[in-house]
Amino acid sequence: MNVSLLAGFLLRVILWLIVCLGVWYGLGRFLAMPVAWLCMAVAQTFFSGWSEAVEQSGTTLALLTNLQLPPPPGAPANASALLTAEADYRVIGYGLPMLLALFLASRPHAMAVKMLTGALVLLPFQAWSIVFTWLKQVAIQAGPEVTAQLQFGDTARNLIGLAYQFGTLVLPPLLPVVLWLLLDRKLFSTLLVEAYLERAEPEEKSP
């Protein structure tokens, strides 16, 4: 395999990633808006019985609920508050600068269209991560007083925990690479062809 070609590509990815991360971090509030809209639609569709609204503060997306929290120790028995679940877009949204850095490093044909397509495809998966971060807080972390107000059984809570881990640990770093390979296979194919030719060359020389 052409080591210099691969090394040059990786170096360009790293340099572009530094640039893209800086821009992404500065524009995080605006980039989180479409994710917040998707999350709001999900909450209104599936959690309308106990969710009230979705609010955005900077890059933090908050799910306001009507779920009663138990009073803190030492507080009057009638002192109660409503649960608010929060998730930070920056924790799960770093796949976007990764995707852009890969495209900028490989510079495929119709790069702008492919970058926009990839960014749009990322949105529902980022919403997935935010929603299941909320659900983890509501169904698992909030305590039995809160979960008793919902209809989440043990199986549902286990599935929420798995979906949360998949959405925060697997999807953000893996999905940008998969999308780049699907939308721009030229460089990857070139490396595969060169690796095959280098492997076949010694076999042809052998008697």
Side-chain angles (χ1 to χ4, degrees):
M1 183 180 293
N2 192 330
V3 178
S4 61
L5 178 62
L6 180 59
F9 171 70
L10 293 177
L11 178 60
R12 293 195 303 273
V13 170
I14 293 172
L15 294 176
W16 276 116
L17 183 58
I18 294 173
V19 175
C20 292
L21 279 172
V23 176
W24 168 79
Y25 191 88
L27 297 178
R29 177 178 182 179
F30 304 100
L31 296 173
M33 288 180 179
V35 181
W37 297 334
L38 285 176
C39 292
M40 185 184 305
V42 172
Q44 291 174 346
T45 303
F46 297 101
F47 316 139
S48 59
W50 51 269
S51 67
E52 297 292 332
V54 173
E55 292 185 351
Q56 179 180 350
S57 176
T59 59
T60 299
L61 308 182
L63 176 67
L64 309 183
T65 77
N66 55 25
L67 301 172
Q68 297 284 336
L69 288 171
N78 60 352
S80 62
L82 299 179
L83 173 65
T84 297
E86 295 184 344
D88 192 345
Y89 165 76
R90 289 195 180 117
V91 174
I92 55 89
Y94 60 86
L96 177 60
M98 287 180 59
L99 179 67
L100 299 182
L102 287 167
F103 279 124
L104 289 168
S106 61
R107 301 191 64 84
H109 175 70
M111 181 175 66
V113 174
K114 292 179 179 180
M115 291 169 70
L116 179 59
T117 301
L120 292 175
V121 172
L122 283 176
L123 289 177
F125 295 97
Q126 292 172 344
W128 165 294
S129 302
I130 294 293
V131 167
F132 279 101
T133 299
W134 290 339
L135 287 176
K136 183 202 66 164
Q137 297 174 27
V138 171
I140 299 175
Q141 294 180 328
E145 294 86 354
V146 174
T147 56
Q149 303 170 51
L150 302 168
Q151 296 181 347
F152 291 133
D154 291 339
T155 301
R157 287 195 292 271
N158 289 333
L159 291 175
I160 287 170
L162 289 174
Y164 163 75
Q165 293 181 349
F166 185 72
T168 55
L169 300 178
V170 178
L171 283 179
L174 179 62
L175 189 58
V177 178
V178 173
L179 287 174
W180 172 69
L181 289 175
L182 291 175
L183 295 171
D184 178 22
R185 290 172 287 187
K186 182 178 179 181
L187 178 63
F188 185 68
S189 300
T190 300
L191 292 174
L192 288 179
V193 169
E194 289 189 355
Y196 173 78
L197 292 176
E198 289 182 2
R199 185 183 305 172
E201 197 171 300
E203 295 179 356
E204 292 177 356
K205 291 180 180 180
S206 61

